[in-house]
Amino acid sequence: MRSFTSQFMMTVVLAATAGGTLPVTAQPAPDFYAGKQITLIVGAGVGGAYDQMGRLMARHLGRHIAGNPAIVVLNMPAAGSMAATNYLFGTAPKDGTVIAVIQRAMMLARLTYPGGVRFELAKLNWIGSLNREVALTVAWHTAPHITARDLFERELIVGAIAGAEPETTPRLYNSLLGTKFKIVTGYTGTTELNLALERGEIQGRADWALSSLKATKPDWLRDHKVTLLMQGALNNEPELKGLPSALDFIKNEADRKVMELYFTQKSVARPVVAPPGVPPERLPFCVARSWNWPGIRNFLEKQREPMSRLARFQARK
C-alpha cells in the first residue's frame, strides 16, 4: 500500500500565496499561450472545497505558464465529477487549453459506477494534486450521536452525492464495519449538504473532508454545531488526536485491504488532470511526464482480490 501511495501521490503543490512559485523545470513556448485562456473545469458544485481550491489555483496558475494565459473556471458537478471526467476524456480540446480538478472518487469509478464511466484513467494526463485528505464522519449537534460507537447502535441519516464519497463511504462502512447509516441521495454538492443539515433534512455527513469543513464552516467547529465521530484515511490525522479511525473497527484482514484500497484515494485528494493527447510541452506542470503509471497498474493487479470484493460490495447497493 505504501509503495503504491508513493508512486501515486502527486508531488506538485499549488502556490497558495501571491509570492509562491510552482516547481516547473520546463515551459511551453510562450507564443502558444500568449493571448489565450485555459478553461479549468471543476467537477464539483460552487462553494465547496473542490471549487474553492480550484478557484485558488485559477488565480495563480496563469503567471506560472509561459505566455501568462487567463484561467477561467467552469463548474461541472454532475454525477460526482463523472460528467467532467467523461467530457475531459472524450470531447474536450486536446491542445492544453482545458484542464480539470476532479473528485478523487473517479479513481475507483470503474468499480463503483462502471455503467457511467467513459474514460480510461491511464490515458489521462495526471498533473498534480492540491492536497491530501482525511474524511470526517460528523453529526449535527441535535443528533443523539456522541461517539463513534453510536454509529453502530442507532441510525444516522446522512446526505449523499450520487457517485461521490458522501455516498460510497457510508455504504462501505455499513458493509464492512456494520454501521447504521441511512443514506439520502440527490444532493449535488457540499453547499446543499450543509443547507440540509441546517434545515434538519439530515442528521450528519459520513464523509466530509477535514479541509472542507475548516474552509467552509469553521464556525460550526468553533460553536460545536457538529460532533466529530470518526476519521477515515490510511493514517490518523495528528490534528484529530483521540478521534477513532474507521480502520479501528475492521473485523478481518480481507476487509482491511478493501478499506485501505478505498482510502488510498485520499492521498491524492484533489486531482488535477488534462485530456489525453495533449502535447507534453503544453502541460501546465512538466512533472506530469515523469510519473510511473505502469507501477500503478502493477499495484492494481496485485490488489485484484480486494478490488473485486469492493466491486461486489458496490453491486449489492
Side-chain angles (χ1 to χ4, degrees):
M1 186 66 64
R2 291 292 180 87
S3 62
F4 167 69
T5 302
S6 64
Q7 292 175 20
F8 200 41
M9 186 61 206
M10 305 169 184
T11 58
V12 176
V13 178
L14 179 69
T17 65
T21 59
L22 292 172
V24 179
T25 60
Q27 292 276 7
D31 56 352
F32 175 77
Y33 281 114
K36 288 186 171 67
Q37 73 175 30
I38 293 176
T39 299
L40 172 62
I41 296 171
V42 175
V46 174
Y50 282 98
D51 181 60
Q52 290 185 3
M53 298 182 77
R55 291 177 187 276
L56 173 65
M57 181 168 74
R59 287 200 296 271
H60 298 291
L61 179 61
R63 58 193 173 82
H64 295 283
I65 299 175
N68 304 126
I71 312 292
V72 178
V73 175
L74 173 64
N75 290 84
M76 196 177 290
S81 281
M82 189 82 73
T85 313
N86 285 340
Y87 168 75
L88 198 74
F89 186 83
T91 59
K94 308 296 193 290
D95 60 357
T97 59
V98 177
I99 60 176
V101 178
I102 61 173
Q103 296 189 40
R104 54 190 169 270
M106 292 301 95
M107 288 182 282
L108 291 177
R110 191 166 292 280
L111 292 175
T112 56
Y113 285 91
V117 173
R118 301 289 184 270
F119 57 85
E120 296 181 44
L121 286 177
K123 293 183 179 180
L124 291 169
N125 280 298
W126 293 83
I127 296 171
S129 178
L130 303 185
N131 70 333
R132 300 187 183 195
E133 201 52 84
V134 57
L136 289 175
T137 298
V138 306
W140 192 241
H141 64 97
T142 56
H145 302 70
I146 304 300
T147 71
R149 288 290 177 187
D150 292 327
L151 296 171
F152 300 85
E153 297 172 0
R154 53 174 64 94
E155 182 179 85
L156 182 69
I157 303 171
V158 295
I161 304 165
E165 286 169 307
E167 180 191 22
T168 56
T169 297
R171 292 191 188 281
L172 194 65
Y173 286 172
N174 284 351
S175 178
L176 299 186
L177 306 182
T179 51
K180 296 183 177 182
F181 291 106
K182 180 178 180 180
I183 304 162
V184 179
T185 59
Y187 298 99
T188 61
T190 294
T191 301
E192 282 194 7
L193 288 172
N194 291 344
L195 286 173
L197 275 173
E198 292 181 304
R199 293 169 179 165
E201 297 173 11
I202 57 177
Q203 296 176 301
R205 294 180 57 175
D207 189 325
W208 193 355
L210 174 60
S211 67
S212 177
L213 172 57
K214 292 167 64 177
T216 60
K217 291 295 182 182
D219 54 314
W220 286 10
L221 283 172
R222 182 195 66 219
D223 300 336
H224 306 289
K225 290 293 185 69
V226 290
T227 302
L228 307 187
L229 301 175
M230 189 166 66
Q231 59 178 304
L234 288 176
N235 300 297
N236 287 355
E237 169 59 46
E239 185 177 344
L240 301 172
K241 186 176 181 180
L243 188 67
S245 166
L247 293 172
D248 296 339
F249 301 100
I250 285 290
K251 301 180 179 68
N252 57 66
E253 190 59 29
D255 287 350
R256 178 175 295 277
K257 288 181 179 180
V258 174
M259 188 72 77
E260 287 179 343
L261 175 65
Y262 183 76
F263 282 158
T264 299
Q265 302 170 93
K266 298 184 184 300
S267 297
V268 194
R270 318 279 178 186
V272 183
V273 297
V278 175
E281 68 274 10
R282 293 182 187 171
L283 291 172
F285 309 98
C286 69
V287 294
R289 290 171 288 172
S290 69
W291 292 344
N292 181 10
W293 189 264
I296 296 174
R297 289 200 299 268
N298 291 340
F299 169 84
L300 296 180
E301 281 296 314
K302 293 177 182 177
Q303 298 299 322
R304 181 177 299 165
E305 172 57 20
M307 288 187 74
S308 66
R309 293 187 68 239
L310 181 58
R312 290 198 298 271
F313 148 73
Q314 291 294 342
R316 293 199 302 269
K317 292 190 306 181

